Amino acid sequence: MWRKENIMIVFSCVAFNILLVSVSSQSDQVHQDPPEIYSQPGTTATISCRHELQDYNRILWYRQPGGGGRMTLLGLMNVDQQQLEDGVTAKMSGGAMKGQTCLFTTEELQLGGTARYFCAAYNHCASGSYEAHFGGGTKLTVLEPNRTAIPPTVRVLKPSPNEGGQTRTLVCVATDFYPDHVSVSWTVNGNKRLSGVATDAAATRLDDFYRITSRLTVYVKEWQNRGKDFACVVDFFNGTETVNRIDSIRGVKGRLLFERKYLRIAQNAKLAYCAFIVKSCVYGAFVVFLLWKLQKSRKTEK
C-alpha cells in the first residue's frame, strides 16, 4: 500500500498543477485512450495512457464524478510498480516511462458510476520541479439495464420573426438520445464556424432521454442570402464509433435588404419633395414681395 509520506511528497509537488487540467488536457505529449466508453453494471473498463516526456517516470490516475467537481486520486504507476490509494481495488499494469503504456482497469462498475478518468505524466520532485501533464480524459458511462445507445434527432430552427437588430439567431435542437455522449458544431457552406456559437454546457435529461441546444448568431446580410447553407452537426458516440446527425437550413431571400432599399428611395423622394415645397414657398414669398413692392411704388407715384 502506498505510504502516507509518499502521498504528501507527490501532492506537494503537483497540487498547484491540478488546476491546469483544462489546459494540459490538450497536450500532445500525453496520449489517453479511448476518449469514451460505455460499460454495463458489474463489468470493468480499461483505459490506456502513454507519454513522450523525457525523464518522466510516474503516471497518476484520477477520477472525476460525471457531474463535474473535485478529482479523486486513485493511485499511480511508479516506473513499473502500481501504488493504489486506500480502498481502491482497481488494477494497473505496464510502465510509466517515456514510450511505455500504462493500463488502468477500473473496479466493478455500478449503475450511476458515470465519471471521467484522467491520467497525468509526472516526475518525482527529487530530481527537480516538473509540471504534471494530463491526458485528454476518458468519459465512462454505465448504461442502465436493457438499454442501448440511441443517436439524436436533430433539427435547425430559423430565426424568430420578432428578432430585431443587425443579427439573427439560428437554433439547433438535438433530442431523444441516450446516453449524453454528444458534441455540437456548426458549419456554413461546409466550413466550420466558431464565432457566434453558444452551446449548452451539458445535455439535459428529460424522462428517459437527453436533449441539448446550440445557437448560431449571424449578421442579417449573411442570413438573407440564399447561397448560404447553415448546418448543425451533432457527433454521437454509439459505443463503437462516433456517428453524426446533421440538419441544415438555407438563407432566405433578402426581403429586408429590399425593404431597406425601398425605404431609402422613399426617404430620398420625401426629402426631395420637402425641398421642392420649401423652394416653392420661398419662390412664392418672393413673388408676393415683388407684387407688394410694385403696388407700393404705384401708390407713391400717385
Side-chain angles (χ1 to χ4, degrees), residues 6-282:
N6 288 334
I7 297 177
M8 295 304 296
I9 292 174
V10 171
F11 271 96
S12 65
C13 296
V14 301
F16 71 97
N17 287 316
I18 301 304
L19 298 176
L20 300 175
V21 62
S22 60
V23 176
S24 300
S25 63
Q26 300 177 1
S27 172
D28 59 358
Q29 300 183 83
V30 181
H31 312 282
Q32 183 174 338
D33 291 299
E36 299 174 279
I37 301 177
Y38 294 158
S39 292
Q40 298 291 337
T43 63
T44 62
T46 299
I47 307 168
S48 69
C49 184
R50 178 175 57 85
H51 70 84
E52 303 297 334
L53 300 166
Q54 191 65 39
D55 298 328
Y56 277 59
N57 58 7
R58 296 188 178 192
I59 291 181
L60 294 81
W61 288 95
Y62 295 89
R63 182 182 186 276
Q64 183 181 41
R70 182 178 179 181
M71 293 194 298
T72 301
L73 178 67
L74 301 174
L76 66 80
M77 176 66 75
N78 183 5
V79 184
D80 59 359
Q81 298 294 317
Q82 74 167 9
Q83 299 175 340
L84 296 171
E85 285 287 86
D86 292 338
V88 176
T89 57
K91 296 180 181 179
M92 285 183 280
S93 61
M97 301 299 291
K98 176 181 178 181
Q100 294 183 327
T101 297
C102 177
L103 297 178
F104 180 88
T105 301
T106 66
E107 50 199 345
E108 288 191 2
L109 299 166
Q110 304 299 321
L111 188 61
T114 297
R116 285 187 179 273
Y117 290 81
F118 291 92
C119 72
Y122 173 69
N123 191 348
H124 193 274
C125 289
S127 58
S129 179
Y130 292 85
E131 178 182 348
H133 292 270
F134 282 77
T138 297
K139 182 176 182 178
L140 187 153
T141 292
V142 182
L143 297 176
E144 296 168 2
N146 303 317
R147 296 205 65 179
T148 58
I150 300 176
T153 298
V154 180
R155 185 183 178 191
V156 175
L157 308 178
K158 62 182 180 181
S160 167
N162 298 321
E163 187 175 6
Q166 300 298 314
T167 61
R168 295 292 180 267
T169 302
L170 288 74
V171 179
C172 175
V173 183
T175 58
D176 301 327
F177 58 92
Y178 175 84
D180 61 338
H181 288 228
V182 295
S183 62
V184 184
S185 61
W186 288 86
T187 64
V188 179
N189 285 354
N191 298 314
K192 191 168 185 178
R193 178 64 62 88
L194 298 177
S195 61
V197 174
T199 303
D200 295 345
T204 302
R205 181 153 185 169
L206 299 174
D207 297 324
D208 293 332
F209 298 96
Y210 286 90
R211 169 192 176 99
I212 193 170
T213 62
S214 180
R215 294 152 295 282
L216 173 64
T217 301
V218 298
Y219 285 107
V220 172
K221 184 177 181 180
E222 186 174 25
W223 166 240
Q224 295 187 336
N225 183 341
R226 286 185 179 273
K228 294 288 187 177
D229 180 78
F230 304 90
C232 176
V233 182
V234 180
D235 292 322
F236 176 78
F237 179 64
N238 64 12
T240 304
E241 61 180 349
T242 298
V243 298
N244 57 55
R245 295 292 183 269
I246 304 173
D247 189 35
S248 63
I249 188 171
R250 299 197 70 83
V252 299
K253 184 177 180 180
R255 181 176 61 184
L256 183 58
L257 296 179
F258 173 78
E259 291 176 352
R260 285 182 176 177
K261 183 177 180 180
Y262 173 79
L263 290 174
R264 187 165 57 250
I265 294 174
Q267 184 70 18
N268 291 337
K270 182 178 179 180
L271 292 174
Y273 179 74
C274 290
F276 173 76
I277 294 298
V278 171
K279 289 181 179 180
S280 297
C281 291
V282 172

